[in-house]
Amino acid sequence: EPEVTQTPSHQVTQMGQEVILRCVPISNHLYFYWYRQILGQKVEFLVSFYNNEISEKSEIFDDQFSVERPDGSNFTLKIRSTKLEDSAMYFCASRSGLLNTEAFFGQGTRLTVV
Amino acid sequence: GQSLEQPSEVTAVEGAIVQINCTYQTSGFYGLSWYQQHDGGAPTFLSYNALDGLEETGRFSSFLSRSDSYGYLLLQELQMKDSASYFCAVRENTGGFKTIFGAGTRLFVKA
């Protein structure tokens, strides 16, 4: 069964450093998303991406965040200068072009900022 | 803005039936989804309702009333492995049809 793949599964970084979280969405999917989940809290929407551009971003997704689809398969989330409060699980999700289909989530990257 | 309300915690015994309610407010409602998440895991899709009524998938059913901005997830024949967090989530018709999650209901299934 096709799946969304995220790497790395766990990343530890120092405050102020840049991190890039990688995702390989399901191959024929057209809509891509990043979500984050702080430990014990709900899953929060960060950004949606369609047709090689951002469709919508939340208030969390400030200038420190950026997304890219550098080639036909990868979808990346970059945090330019990490803060302690960026520590969370980051989930990538993708959905096909059919509107009544669910989003499939990757297993997540646990980001720990120290 | 959006808001979703669901109970924070529910406890039930193995073999029982449990219903998790969800009310929502959103400006661009497209459908209501339910996701299951075990500790340390990813959200896993359970069901989706775009129209009013009941959708059944095995032991799980989901209901939607668009006029009441209300839905529920019904879990039957509870098993210990059903202990997890359950999120109702609104799919919006803006922003790439993003999904906005509620705070989640923690389900504890006891023997």
Side-chain angles (χ1 to χ4, degrees):
Chain A
E1 187 173 320
E3 60 180 16
V4 177
T5 307
Q6 290 187 242
T7 53
S9 56
H10 191 185
Q11 173 125 21
V12 181
T13 189
Q14 288 203 322
M15 195 168 53
Q17 294 297 303
E18 174 183 286
V19 294
I20 298 176
L21 310 183
R22 291 185 164 78
C23 170
V24 179
I26 294 172
S27 65
N28 61 347
H29 282 191
L30 301 180
Y31 295 87
F32 313 112
Y33 311 89
W34 281 102
Y35 290 83
R36 80 169 186 193
Q37 186 176 32
I38 295 170
L39 188 63
Q41 298 187 23
K42 70 177 181 179
V43 178
E44 299 175 291
F45 168 76
L46 291 179
V47 66
S48 58
F49 193 86
Y50 170 72
N51 201 25
N52 284 320
E53 61 183 21
I54 290 175
S55 304
E56 187 168 338
K57 54 187 180 181
S58 71
E59 61 274 11
I60 302 168
F61 194 90
D62 61 22
D63 291 344
Q64 294 299 312
F65 291 87
S66 63
V67 289
E68 216 176 32
R69 189 154 160 81
D71 53 42
S73 60
N74 291 285
F75 180 50
T76 61
L77 174 69
K78 182 193 291 185
I79 310 175
R80 265 181 264 287
S81 176
T82 50
K83 304 186 283 286
L84 294 176
E85 54 265 38
D86 293 326
S87 295
M89 187 74 106
Y90 288 80
F91 292 106
C92 171
S94 71
R95 195 167 54 76
S96 78
L98 300 175
L99 295 180
N100 283 329
T101 56
E102 72 267 28
F104 288 86
F105 281 74
Q107 288 303 306
T109 293
R110 179 166 296 285
L111 176 65
T112 304
V113 182
V114 297
Chain B
Q2 320 96 347
S3 73
L4 294 97
E5 298 290 331
Q6 56 182 124
S8 58
E9 204 174 283
V10 172
T11 301
V13 297
E14 228 178 345
I17 298 172
V18 72
Q19 179 172 314
I20 300 173
N21 297 321
C22 174
T23 57
Y24 60 86
Q25 277 188 315
T26 181
S27 53
F29 181 82
Y30 196 83
L32 189 72
S33 302
W34 288 91
Y35 285 82
Q36 178 192 63
Q37 186 181 37
H38 286 98
D39 284 346
T44 303
F45 172 81
L46 291 177
S47 70
Y48 172 69
N49 295 70
L51 304 174
D52 286 0
L54 192 68
E55 293 281 341
E56 297 181 69
T57 310
R59 293 187 297 114
F60 295 170
S61 305
S62 59
F63 172 83
L64 173 66
S65 168
R66 294 174 71 112
S67 59
D68 296 322
S69 298
Y70 163 76
Y72 66 72
L73 178 70
L74 192 74
L75 298 89
Q76 303 183 75
E77 300 171 21
L78 280 175
Q79 302 173 9
M80 298 295 286
K81 67 178 183 179
D82 297 329
S83 293
S85 291
Y86 292 84
F87 294 89
C88 66
V90 164
R91 187 179 302 171
E92 297 195 326
N93 59 12
T94 60
F97 294 89
K98 66 184 185 292
T99 299
I100 300 298
F101 287 76
T105 297
R106 184 89 181 179
L107 173 63
F108 296 95
V109 180
K110 302 194 296 187

